Amino acid sequence: MVLPANSIIQDINNYISQHGGGYSAWYVGIASDPKDRLFNEHNVDQHNGAWIYKDAGSETEARRIEKHFLSLGCDGGTGGGDYSTRYVYAYKKTYSTNP
């Protein structure tokens, strides 16, 4: 389900607040397949890790939301993904995640 960008930002903010750590303890990115990106590429623990992803509806909105969280101090970077990228994801970094 696609939510408005402001709702996605609020949902991710709430999730970060509930699971602790400052923004720098979290990684935010965009992906066309967020589960693969989270659990295979970043090595997030699917069952015990703190992670969230949301469908932004378009690459443009996903990039805008990603940029918002990067400006707050989350780890990550711009420039990833392609035209099919529409999901925004975040996870709390741990000793086992990459990064």
Side-chain angles (χ1 to χ4, degrees):
M1 177 177 156
V2 178
L3 297 172
N6 289 340
S7 293
I8 293 171
I9 288 170
Q10 188 62 48
D11 286 351
I12 294 173
N13 266 325
N14 290 344
Y15 193 83
I16 289 172
S17 293
Q18 290 169 357
H19 289 85
Y23 288 110
S24 64
W26 289 78
Y27 185 100
V28 172
I30 59 174
S32 54
D33 184 346
K35 288 182 179 180
D36 180 61
R37 190 87 168 114
L38 283 163
F39 309 130
N40 295 324
E41 295 181 40
H42 288 298
N43 201 36
V44 175
D45 185 325
Q46 185 172 0
H47 302 290
N48 298 309
W51 55 270
I52 185 173
Y53 69 86
K54 297 287 182 176
D55 186 346
S58 71
E59 171 196 9
T60 302
E61 285 301 290
R63 290 185 189 284
R64 187 167 77 82
I65 295 165
E66 176 189 44
K67 187 175 181 180
H68 169 80
F69 283 101
L70 294 175
S71 74
L72 294 175
C74 288
D75 195 3
T78 61
D82 60 22
Y83 70 92
S84 68
T85 301
R86 59 185 278 173
Y87 293 91
V88 180
Y89 65 88
Y91 67 88
K92 190 172 185 181
K93 298 181 293 183
T94 68
Y95 67 91
S96 65
T97 58
N98 177 34

